[in-house]
Amino acid sequence: QVQLVESGGGSVQAGESLKLSCVGSGYVFSSCGMDWYQEAPGQQQREWVASISDDGYTKYADSVKERFTISRNNAKNTLYLQINNLKYEDTAVYVCAADCTPYTYWGQGTQVTVSL
């Protein structure tokens, strides 16, 4: 049974930093690309934030590339998202996904709330 469990969210003030984690189990973590998405209030669908391939190649949405860093530790089956200089508009549920083509697995998300 595939599971993705996110953690590390919380309520913070603008300008602070957070590091989100996503632990995968039930599949070969190192063989899959991994992604982070945002589910923000008022959004109709998840918005892609960042990806990291199985061999460590990273991509970012233009809106976050200067503040967000995606990384992975295959030995720990863990995906990370470092968010620096948090902004009010970063408030969202952050969801990780495992891209194990042809399958995609999703976590439940971790809430990040940024106050001014």
Side-chain angles (χ1 to χ4, degrees), residues 13-71:
Q13 293 196 325
E16 294 183 343
S17 299
L18 279 176
K19 189 170 187 176
L20 310 182
S21 299
C22 168
V23 178
S25 61
Y27 68 103
V28 183
F29 183 88
S30 60
S31 296
C32 298
M34 298 293 296
D35 310 300
W36 284 102
Y37 287 78
Q38 285 177 332
E39 293 180 345
Q43 280 182 350
Q44 292 189 339
Q45 59 185 14
R46 289 171 179 156
E47 184 171 309
W48 172 75
V49 172
S51 295
I52 185 166
S53 68
D54 57 350
D55 59 356
Y57 179 74
T58 59
K59 294 189 296 185
Y60 298 91
D62 287 343
S63 60
V64 306
K65 62 174 55 177
E66 294 184 3
R67 298 185 297 115
F68 288 28
T69 303
I70 189 172
S71 61

Side-chain angles (χ1 to χ4, degrees), residues 65-83:
K65 62 174 55 177
E66 294 184 3
R67 298 185 297 115
F68 288 28
T69 303
I70 189 172
S71 61
R72 65 191 297 162
N73 184 330
N74 290 337
K76 295 184 177 180
N77 283 7
T78 303
L79 173 73
Y80 302 100
L81 185 68
Q82 175 73 41
I83 310 175

Side-chain angles (χ1 to χ4, degrees), residues 69-115:
T69 303
I70 189 172
S71 61
R72 65 191 297 162
N73 184 330
N74 290 337
K76 295 184 177 180
N77 283 7
T78 303
L79 173 73
Y80 302 100
L81 185 68
Q82 175 73 41
I83 310 175
N84 296 326
N85 189 22
L86 276 152
K87 300 179 183 296
Y88 177 76
E89 53 264 35
D90 295 327
T91 295
V93 175
Y94 286 77
V95 180
C96 68
D99 180 6
C100 308
T101 306
Y103 304 106
T104 300
Y105 305 108
W106 298 90
Q108 294 297 307
T110 185
Q111 175 72 48
V112 173
T113 303
V114 184
S115 58

